[in-house]
Amino acid sequence: AVVTRSATRVYGVGDTAVLALDAVDLTVPTGQFLAVMGPSGSGKSTLLHCLAGLDRLTSGSVELGGTALEDLGDKELTHLRRREVGFIFQSYNLVPTLDARENITLPLDLAGRTVDGAWFDRIVATLGLGDRLDHRPSQLSGGQQQRVAAARALVSRPTVVFADEPTGALDSTSGAELLSFLRQAADEFGQTIVMVTHDPAAASYADRIVFLADGRIVSEMLDPDA
Amino acid sequence: AVVTRSATRVYGVGDTAVLALDAVDLTVPTGQFLAVMGPSGSGKSTLLHCLAGLDRLTSGSVELGGTALEDLGDKELTHLRRREVGFIFQSYNLVPTLDARENITLPLDLAGRTVDGAWFDRIVATLGLGDRLDHRPSQLSGGQQQRVAAARALVSRPTVVFADEPTGALDSTSGAELLSFLRQAADEFGQTIVMVTHDPAAASYADRIVFLADGRIVSEMLDPDA
Ligand SMILES: Nc1ncnc2c1ncn2[C@@H]1O[C@H](COP(=O)(O)OP(=O)(O)OP(=O)(O)O)[C@@H](O)[C@H]1O
Ligand SMILES: Nc1ncnc2c1ncn2[C@@H]1O[C@H](COP(=O)(O)OP(=O)(O)OP(=O)(O)O)[C@@H](O)[C@H]1O
Ligand SMILES: [Mg+2]
Ligand SMILES: [Mg+2]
């Protein structure tokens, strides 16, 4: 499960200070597919980064699988993330000097773990990347880069997958492929999925939707597709 | 008007060679709002970059306002673009060391032109950037960065505005604000708008939609909202 209590995140000081998260309480049970929606600037990416341990809260607590992130040093936090977390960034964050295949397996290579070949092939086929594995990010379209970022997060079959607008640059067909894959990750493998999206059609794949505004959860919906 | 004849663009050589545009013919009359749709990897960004003179065709011709881009050297092409073209990039391409205000006025500053203060304020208000002008790109959310990129393309009131997925990171409200602004740019100021989008709701603001697949125009639709 992913649990946060009274999560507050203030950016900067003085004139440019921004209260991006304002005492957010949220529990995502194991195996749930949660969608996070809200206007641009409402704190969605900040919430996702803090839940994944990629950013530290100003105050409040985060627990991933029962481990309190505040108790971990940077090195332990990195190891926990590499073992348990997959993250699809809003801006992809691919390594420009590696080709698509190397970008996808990078987290496993860094952790010294082997790649499950059949699983790698299945992800690449589902995301339509088969004939682009030798390309570097600059040789890929925007949507292809996004799909490489998604493949990277999914290939290690992490306990929790955080996805920040994963279908933003995808057409409806490739978007549906990725969303079905996330749905299956929750249903078949019990992975917890936390996905930020602006697209109600994407959110309808989730079990539950929380709505953010000005750094707070203002409403919630269960079974959006019921 | 924007006219291209037999536009072909091949990337790379050998194993990674890709035929991104395959003899595309397209005429966009002055003051038309054209949407370009198609699957991820179908050549939309490549077409937009070649029409705007940001990338050179492998063969074929492009005319902007009657000027053949092939006849221009790099310097003349840059001057033409600065005078006539606004471009909203799919990956925003903001300058990280400048704040939002400086990023928005950069094309005018580089061209030695003055900024129309009232017009600048109107664009900033429409795109909801008023309280973020002192922030640098790293201090902005994804959607806010996209809106700064949009403001930059619109502040010089160019003859042609090219927009690559301009609402990809925006919620429906800020997306509608930007699309209405582009619609008005065509209706009131006679600017030509060429917008790539995956979102049919965004495309419905346009006068005409062309559909790309594998580097070719495969179909077209007039008055999508009729
Ligand atoms: N520098 C490059 N070298 C090799 N291939 C490239 C290069 N840039 C783009 N491509 C390929 O050209 C094709 C068209 O790319 P383009 O970026 O125009 O697609 P797109 O329609 O904008 O896609 P998306 O909707 O994902 O942004 C893609 O298949 C891509 O892999
Ligand atoms: N480094 C920073 N310094 C100051 N303010 C920041 C910083 N990063 C983000 N912000 C601000 O915090 C707020 C929340 O940002 P966040 O990226 O979480 O929003 P978001 O909901 O993901 O938006 P979007 O849908 O546009 O991606 C925004 O108003 C933004 O301007
Ligand atoms: Mg965001
Ligand atoms: Mg593109």
Side-chain angles (χ1 to χ4, degrees), chain A residues 16 18 38-41 90 132 134-135 139 141-144 147 165 168-171 174 198, chain B residues 16 18 38-41 90 132 134-135 139 141-144 147 165 168-171 174 198:
Chain A
T16 58
V18 173
S40 172
Q90 186 167 3
R132 289 284 179 275
D134 300 327
H135 285 228
Q139 297 174 320
S141 79
Q144 289 166 344
R147 284 178 275 151
E165 310 262 2
L170 303 185
D171 56 277
S174 18
H198 282 302
Chain B
T16 59
V18 173
S40 172
Q90 186 168 3
R132 289 283 177 278
D134 300 325
H135 287 227
Q139 297 174 319
S141 77
Q144 289 165 345
R147 285 178 275 151
E165 310 262 1
L170 303 185
D171 56 279
S174 15
H198 283 301

Side-chain angles (χ1 to χ4, degrees), chain A:
Chain A
V2 179
V3 182
T4 189
R5 291 190 191 87
S6 200
T8 295
R9 177 66 168 102
V10 179
Y11 284 119
V13 284
D15 281 0
T16 58
V18 173
L19 180 58
L21 291 180
D22 187 2
V24 174
D25 293 316
L26 177 66
T27 294
V28 190
T30 301
Q32 185 175 71
F33 186 164
L34 174 72
V36 177
M37 301 187 77
S40 172
S42 56
K44 303 180 299 297
S45 294
T46 302
L47 176 62
L48 226 61
H49 281 64
C50 289
L51 290 178
L54 285 165
D55 190 9
R56 298 272 193 184
L57 289 175
T58 307
S59 64
S61 66
V62 175
E63 268 181 33
L64 275 186
T67 303
L69 299 190
E70 297 73 51
D71 299 347
L72 303 182
D74 282 356
K75 221 171 182 173
E76 289 170 294
L77 191 54
T78 300
H79 287 170
L80 174 82
R81 266 205 323 268
R82 244 176 234 157
R83 262 194 336 269
E84 310 279 342
V85 172
F87 201 104
I88 307 175
F89 292 87
Q90 186 167 3
S91 56
Y92 321 150
N93 277 18
L94 299 181
V95 179
T97 49
L98 301 181
D99 66 24
R101 180 185 288 106
E102 292 164 336
N103 263 288
I104 292 169
T105 62
L106 184 62
L108 287 170
D109 298 338
L110 290 173
R113 287 161 58 192
T114 50
V115 180
D116 176 338
W119 183 240
F120 177 88
D121 290 343
R122 185 169 154 193
I123 289 177
V124 163
T126 304
L127 298 179
L129 292 168
D131 58 350
R132 289 284 179 275
L133 291 177
D134 300 327
H135 285 228
R136 289 191 308 282
S138 64
Q139 297 174 320
L140 296 172
S141 79
Q144 289 166 344
Q145 292 174 40
Q146 185 159 47
R147 284 178 275 151
V148 171
R152 176 179 63 187
L154 295 167
V155 76
S156 57
R157 220 177 263 171
T159 316
V160 189
V161 178
F162 294 98
D164 200 343
E165 310 262 2
T167 61
L170 303 185
D171 56 277
S172 43
T173 311
S174 18
E177 295 278 354
L178 175 59
L179 291 163
S180 303
F181 198 90
L182 290 175
R183 184 67 259 169
Q184 202 178 10
D187 294 340
E188 264 183 52
F189 302 112
Q191 292 168 278
T192 306
I193 314 287
V194 184
M195 175 181 79
V196 166
T197 184
H198 282 302
D199 180 0
S204 71
Y205 281 76
D207 300 310
R208 176 185 170 208
I209 307 176
V210 292
F211 297 86
L212 286 191
D214 299 320
R216 291 188 190 186
I217 293 177
V218 291
S219 71
E220 193 171 309
M221 195 185 202
L222 283 180
D223 288 334
D225 211 24

